[in-house]
Amino acid sequence: MHILLVEDDTDLADSIAAALRSQGWRVDVSDRGEPVQRSLTQDSYDILLLDLGLPGIDGMETLRRARDSGWLEPILVLTARDSVDDRVAGLETGADDYLCKPFAPAELLARVRALVRRHEHRQAGVYRLGDLRFDTHGQRAWLGERPLSLTARESIVLQYLMARSGEVVAREQLNTLVPGWGPGVSDNALELLMSRLRAKIEPASVLLRTVRGLGYMLEAQDEPPRR
């Protein structure tokens, strides 16, 4: 695995890089956001680990520029900013996951592996979570080996949630996805759709959680609680 780490705290960067290299991974380190976009186009990185509190161009702008340039690989944000608003802003700007400082090296390594594994599944056109599988090419889902019967709307919403498993997806995002729906759709209509979908997929050892005031999150039951 080839990793780009952007962290301006030299001691922390050295510690993180050492933990990553202990797994046999290649790690390049930058202490500023300005070179990131060029680095991502010149080298074949598997994941970007990005601190938000950078000098010059901050991490959020670096994140935005990376996504605007068309870079599609996973981005894991590392930051001391732990408010819900900060986490939502980072995820909506294009981060795949958010790890708050201080963190244990073992958790960092686990999240890096999970993000790269999830990205590989996306490239293959199949999402997997617990015993649930979704084939994006055939628009079909399975619980283990049993085909799952979904309506067109349920299929669209499930695919979107599986692509962002472990992340909070806003109600407004889901409303715009569903054919015939829009900003004026009532909360009750969306909640009914999610209730029906929840009943179909939870036997696959996945949870479709309602996050009050924000939206919904799909995650495996055996995953540790999100920060």
Side-chain angles (χ1 to χ4, degrees), residues 25-208:
W25 301 335
R26 295 170 55 202
V27 183
D28 296 332
V29 181
S30 174
D31 61 357
R32 300 183 68 88
E34 285 84 352
V36 168
Q37 192 170 347
R38 179 182 298 175
S39 297
L40 294 178
T41 59
Q42 290 180 342
D43 293 285
S44 181
Y45 290 104
D46 297 291
I47 188 170
L48 169 62
L49 308 186
L50 178 63
D51 177 41
L52 291 188
L54 298 172
I57 297 176
D58 68 8
M60 196 66 77
E61 179 60 24
T62 303
L63 171 60
R64 183 176 295 107
R65 292 185 181 188
R67 291 309 190 201
D68 287 347
S69 72
W71 201 72
L72 300 177
E73 307 302 312
I75 298 177
L76 174 59
V77 167
L78 311 174
T79 182
R81 304 176 191 175
D82 61 356
S83 74
V84 172
D85 288 345
D86 286 328
R87 292 199 300 272
V88 170
L91 293 170
E92 289 187 343
T93 302
D96 294 277
D97 201 358
Y98 205 103
L99 186 56
C100 293
K101 302 174 183 177
F103 49 80
E107 182 178 8
L108 171 65
L109 297 177
R111 295 211 183 199
V112 168
R113 290 191 188 95
L115 284 175
V116 172
R117 186 168 59 245
R118 186 192 309 171
H119 183 74
E120 290 171 348
H121 290 331
R122 290 177 185 177
Q123 290 181 315
V126 178
Y127 299 129
R128 291 180 173 86
L129 189 65
D131 294 327
L132 181 63
R133 288 183 297 137
F134 191 97
D135 175 9
T136 62
H137 301 307
Q139 293 296 296
R140 296 172 297 176
W142 291 267
L143 290 176
E145 298 302 319
R146 178 170 63 85
L148 183 63
S149 177
L150 297 172
T151 67
R153 287 174 173 174
E154 290 168 350
S155 179
I156 290 170
V157 169
L158 179 60
Q159 179 177 342
Y160 195 79
L161 290 170
M162 290 193 73
R164 292 155 183 81
S165 62
E167 303 174 15
V168 177
V169 177
R171 289 173 173 268
E172 293 76 14
Q173 291 175 274
L174 296 174
N175 282 345
T176 59
L177 284 175
V178 179
W181 285 14
V185 172
S186 71
D187 288 345
N188 287 341
L190 180 58
E191 185 58 41
L192 179 59
L193 186 152
M194 301 304 277
S195 178
R196 290 174 176 167
L197 182 59
R198 182 180 292 116
K200 291 182 178 182
I201 66 175
E202 286 195 345
S205 301
V206 298
L207 292 175
L208 177 51

